[in-house]
């Protein structure tokens, strides 16, 4: 079959090949330290699992509204109002199959051919592909380690053209682990308002913050910013619910209605009983303790991984303050990210994601969503590899 041109514009995932190779090596019995995971290594908390089981027992197994269960839409609106200072009602919320579908629906509902979408790099790998699938034009704005891989208001202002529709902001960031300070968010909000563009704020890692870092949703920066903000979030990272596929999009009613129409003709509602697990996640008094325990475990691993990295000649990374990733500069290693990750996996049995997937070929991403013992072992191996290239620095 002659495939549609839109498919040809989207490359197959670079990360899949390396992930598959790592898995195959593990299956052969090789002791691979895997730092490639984009998900917490914790199980979904029992109280959330119990709520979904109860929903199953109660027969919550049928089609539901495409927009989501009313109770979940209200619970999400309440969360956004009380935790994030965003004045949403249930009608401003669409429940989606993960944060991924919420962003994809948004692109389909808002982007027309040729519309430009500003994406700072390094970026989460799906953003540009979603824009292209919606026939928009991703405008990649490279950031540097000097600004903590964060786009500056000047850079944003300069990237805006009459065709700019949307700016994609992700804090805490995948892949860099950087968190914009409230002042930095407010400064970006001023540009968004002054230049009258839209911003989608991907806040899926908002609960995973370290060293006292604060999360401010750009929609809470001012009422003018709120009017131009769409928020994407989900349950995957904060509640270890990656496989449940529950996320949400929040924004103006007409836009949310349009995304629900799209969803009603593609996937329909999110798995009904999974949504009852999500309600429990938001409403149970047990959830904050669970999140805090997981956050502390990530924090400990983050410090160990970061300290170990600092002692390795030729490698460096800014200290992450959010999510569960360390973004490592390999520019002194004499090879690009895919080759580096391939060698690291084949010869040293450590799996990582090449920065090429995130738009920066001189970096690699290590996830610390894995146990401390593997962190120590994997960093020993990385150190050996780096020293084999640059000597003892
Ligand atoms: N946004 C970012 C930055 C992510 O890293 C991810 C998942 O890795 C998502 C959105 C989508 O998450 P999900 O669809 O699992 O809710």
């Amino acid at each position: 079959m002659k495939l549609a041109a839109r498919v040809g514009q989207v490359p197959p995932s670079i990360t899949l090949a390396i992930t598959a190779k790592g898995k195959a090596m593990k299956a052969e019995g090789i002791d691979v330290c895997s730092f490639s995971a984009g998900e917490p290594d914790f199980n979904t908390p029992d109280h959330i699992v119990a709520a979904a089981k109860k929903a199953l027992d109660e027969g919550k197994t049928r089609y539901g509204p495409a927009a989501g269960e009313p109770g979940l839409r209200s619970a999400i609106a309440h969360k956004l109002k009380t935790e994030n200072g965003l004045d949403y009602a249930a009608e401003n919320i669409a429940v989606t199959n993960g944060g991924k579908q919420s962003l994809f629906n948004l692109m389909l509902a808002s982007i027309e051919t040729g519309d430009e979408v500003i994406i700072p790099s390094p970026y989460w790998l799906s953003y540009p592909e979603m824009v292209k699938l919606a026939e928009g034009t991703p405008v990649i704005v490279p950031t540097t380690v000097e600004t903590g891989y964060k786009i500056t208001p000047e850079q944003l202002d300069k990237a805006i053209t009459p065709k700019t529709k949307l700016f994609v902001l992700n804090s805490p960031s995948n892949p860099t682990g950087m968190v914009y300070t409230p002042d930095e968010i407010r400064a970006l909000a001023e540009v968004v308002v002054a230049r009258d563009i839209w911003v989608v704020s991907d806040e899926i890692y908002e609960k995973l913050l370290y060293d006292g870092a604060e999360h401010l949703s750009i929609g809470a920066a001012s009422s003018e910013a709120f009017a131009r903000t769409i928020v994407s979030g989900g349950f995957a990272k904060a509640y270890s619910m990656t496989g449940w596929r529950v996320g949400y999009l929040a924004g103006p009613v007409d836009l949310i209605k349009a995304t629900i129409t799209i969803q009603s003709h593609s996937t329909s509602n999110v798995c009904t009983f999974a949504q009852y697990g999500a309600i429990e996640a938001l409403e149970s008094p047990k959830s904050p303790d669970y999140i805090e325990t997981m956050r502390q475990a990530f924090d400990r691993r983050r410090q160990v991984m970061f300290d170990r990295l600092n002692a390795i000649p030729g490698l460096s990374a800014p200290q992450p303050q959010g999510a569960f990733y360390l973004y490592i500069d390999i520019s002194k290693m004499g090879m690009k990210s895919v080759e580096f990750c391939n060698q690291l996996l084949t010869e040293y049995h450590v799996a990582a994601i090449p920065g090429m997937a995130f738009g920066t070929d001189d970096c690699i991403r290590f996830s610390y969503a894995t146990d401390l013992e593997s962190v120590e072992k994997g960093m020993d191996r990385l150190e050996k590899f780096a020293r084999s290239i640059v000597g003892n620095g």
Side-chain angles (χ1 to χ4, degrees):
M1 181 193 275
K2 181 180 177 299
L3 297 177
R6 77 175 67 84
V7 186
Q9 292 176 6
V10 179
S13 165
I14 321 167
T15 59
L16 277 188
I18 286 193
T19 310
K21 192 167 164 187
K23 279 192 180 147
M25 286 168 66
K26 264 191 180 163
E28 280 171 33
I30 299 172
D31 172 30
V32 175
C33 291
S34 185
F35 296 137
S36 56
E39 60 181 340
D41 55 326
F42 293 85
N43 291 330
T44 305
D46 290 344
H47 64 283
I48 297 175
V49 173
K53 282 185 183 161
K54 182 163 168 276
L56 270 173
D57 288 340
E58 287 172 352
K60 303 231 163 54
T61 56
R62 297 183 182 272
Y63 288 137
E69 291 295 303
L72 181 54
R73 293 177 81 192
S74 301
I76 293 167
H78 179 75
K79 172 245 177 294
L80 290 169
K81 196 180 262 187
T82 53
E83 287 184 8
N84 304 95
L86 301 168
D87 195 12
Y88 289 125
E91 61 177 354
N92 296 104
I93 311 296
V95 180
T96 58
N97 286 278
K100 195 173 257 182
Q101 193 189 27
S102 78
L103 292 160
F104 192 66
N105 286 349
L106 166 68
M107 299 304 171
L108 284 187
S110 63
I111 302 301
E112 292 190 285
T113 307
D115 280 351
E116 293 179 353
V117 179
I118 296 174
I119 302 173
S121 79
Y123 46 71
W124 180 50
L125 70 181
S126 292
Y127 299 141
E129 311 313 337
M130 288 176 178
V131 172
K132 285 190 253 170
L133 286 169
E135 295 177 3
T137 307
V139 175
I140 307 298
V141 179
T143 66
T144 60
V145 73
E146 285 74 36
T147 61
Y149 293 122
K150 298 180 211 177
I151 189 171
T152 63
E154 294 75 28
Q155 281 180 305
L156 176 60
D157 192 58
K158 221 170 129 198
I160 296 171
T161 76
K163 288 187 180 164
T164 304
K165 184 76 179 264
L166 190 62
F167 159 46
V168 181
L169 178 63
N170 173 218
S171 179
S173 154
N174 175 9
T176 66
M178 295 292 108
V179 180
Y180 287 74
T181 65
D183 278 349
E184 288 166 342
I185 293 284
R186 282 189 275 266
L188 291 173
E190 279 176 20
V191 179
V192 166
V193 172
R195 302 295 302 273
D196 196 15
I197 60 168
W198 286 87
V199 55
V200 57
S201 183
D202 181 350
E203 305 184 2
I204 197 152
Y205 292 99
E206 67 175 325
K207 302 266 186 208
L208 300 176
L209 298 167
Y210 318 106
D211 291 341
E214 255 180 80
H215 170 74
L216 177 71
S217 173
I218 192 163
S222 66
S223 55
E224 293 89 351
F226 180 67
R228 291 166 178 81
T229 298
I230 305 126
V231 175
S232 176
F235 294 80
K237 318 289 178 177
Y239 302 95
S240 290
M241 291 172 67
T242 48
W244 292 59
R245 310 312 303 135
V246 193
Y248 53 86
L249 191 70
V253 173
D254 54 346
L255 170 69
I256 292 301
K257 273 193 182 153
T259 68
I260 293 165
T261 302
I262 289 169
Q263 186 163 316
S264 74
H265 291 297
S266 54
T267 58
S268 299
N269 63 283
V270 171
C271 170
T272 303
F273 48 87
Q275 293 188 59
Y276 284 85
I279 294 175
E280 177 73 8
L282 288 178
E283 293 184 343
S284 168
K286 293 181 186 156
S287 294
D289 282 351
Y290 168 84
I291 293 173
E292 181 54 16
T293 305
M294 184 170 72
R295 193 196 67 78
Q296 285 178 12
F298 285 147
D299 192 9
R300 175 96 193 92
R301 300 158 183 188
R302 173 185 74 106
Q303 288 169 26
V304 170
M305 193 180 257
F306 181 69
D307 289 348
R308 290 292 314 265
L309 185 85
N310 269 336
I312 302 178
L315 295 178
S316 60
Q319 187 164 27
Q321 292 174 325
F324 38 67
Y325 307 108
L326 187 66
Y327 207 54
I328 304 174
D329 185 329
I330 58 155
S331 57
K332 296 194 178 123
M333 295 290 122
M335 62 186 103
K336 292 292 180 189
S337 63
V338 174
E339 191 189 350
F340 187 91
C341 286
N342 260 322
Q343 281 197 31
L344 185 62
L345 178 59
T346 315
E347 295 168 29
Y348 294 87
H349 302 164
V350 174
I353 305 288
M356 193 181 162
F358 311 109
T360 52
D361 211 4
D362 282 332
C363 293
I364 60 169
R365 190 192 76 181
F366 266 31
S367 157
Y368 47 86
T370 187
D371 61 281
L372 260 183
E373 197 189 328
S374 302
V375 170
E376 292 280 11
K377 194 159 54 173
M379 295 311 278
D380 286 344
R381 296 177 186 180
L382 176 68
E383 178 157 6
K384 235 187 219 169
F385 183 32
R387 286 189 190 278
S388 77
I389 300 167
V390 298
N392 288 330

